[in-house]
Amino acid sequence: MAKFKVVTPSGPSYSGPGADYKPEMEALTPIDAEIIEVAAKTDEEFVKEARDADALYAKGRRITKRLIDGLTESECRIAKGALRGGLVLGLEDSGSRMHRIGRSELNYGEHRSVSRTLEKIEAVTVDEVNAVARQLLGRQFGAAVLGPHRSKRSLPKPLRTLAG
């Protein structure tokens, strides 16, 4: 079983009908992620099936308020636990420590102690996470296409939908 689970509605991928997710798996395999298709006809069904997903691959499905606001207190608590665990486990080798310190300097302009970072993680609320999700996922998405496509009409249907 893969470390990460990407949930997607069943049906053709952006690679085209009957595709085996080959382009997607080129990016996902190195990080030990798998794509799981679910036969969900409604947003409610999709939310229920994707509840334990690490990521969503929407394939043309609209990212609705129901999907965005789907995070629960319990899931937020689990995610914060995973972040805390990853942070603490990352202290086990000097390379990870140096990476964390460098990232802290670049992102925040200062060195953040482990205890301060743990406090910041603990202070995050489910409402804050959902607000950020609404802000990021409520926007129009874009896509880049490589290949012999000279017009929107030659794109797979899900990409034509994105292109508008």
Side-chain angles (χ1 to χ4, degrees):
M1 185 166 173
K3 183 177 179 181
F4 299 104
K5 179 178 174 182
V6 179
V7 174
T8 188
S10 57
S13 77
Y14 286 122
S15 305
D20 59 359
Y21 296 107
K22 189 173 181 178
E24 293 91 343
M25 291 310 297
E26 283 180 22
L28 295 173
T29 300
I31 62 168
D32 194 21
E34 64 182 339
I35 295 177
I36 305 293
E37 285 191 336
V38 296
K41 292 181 175 45
T42 66
D43 283 351
E44 287 72 25
E45 289 175 5
F46 190 62
V47 167
K48 182 179 177 186
E49 293 291 329
R51 186 59 69 195
D52 64 340
D54 296 296
L56 299 178
Y57 176 23
K59 289 194 310 195
R61 180 182 286 271
R62 289 211 174 272
I63 304 294
T64 63
K65 182 174 180 357
R66 173 71 178 106
L67 290 176
I68 293 169
D69 288 343
L71 184 70
T72 65
E73 282 286 345
S74 173
E75 292 164 330
C76 189
R77 181 179 40 75
I78 291 167
K80 290 189 320 187
L83 283 172
R84 287 191 305 266
L87 176 65
V88 172
L89 287 174
L91 299 173
E92 291 184 357
D93 69 86
S94 59
S96 294
R97 284 182 179 185
M98 296 304 108
H99 182 74
R100 186 189 66 76
I101 291 169
R103 192 175 55 231
S104 179
E105 290 285 344
L106 289 172
N107 290 339
Y108 310 114
E110 64 183 15
H111 169 66
R112 276 196 179 168
S113 69
V114 173
S115 60
R116 183 166 175 225
T117 303
L118 289 170
E119 288 170 5
K120 291 275 191 187
I121 291 170
E122 192 54 40
V124 173
T125 68
V126 70
D127 291 334
E128 291 170 331
V129 173
N130 282 329
V132 170
R134 277 191 300 278
Q135 181 183 11
L136 295 176
L137 299 175
R139 298 178 185 166
Q140 182 70 32
F141 289 94
V145 178
L146 300 175
H149 300 287
R150 299 199 186 278
S151 70
K152 285 184 191 178
R153 275 185 243 129
S154 70
L155 295 172
K157 187 176 180 185
L159 279 179
R160 284 196 309 269
T161 304
L162 254 181

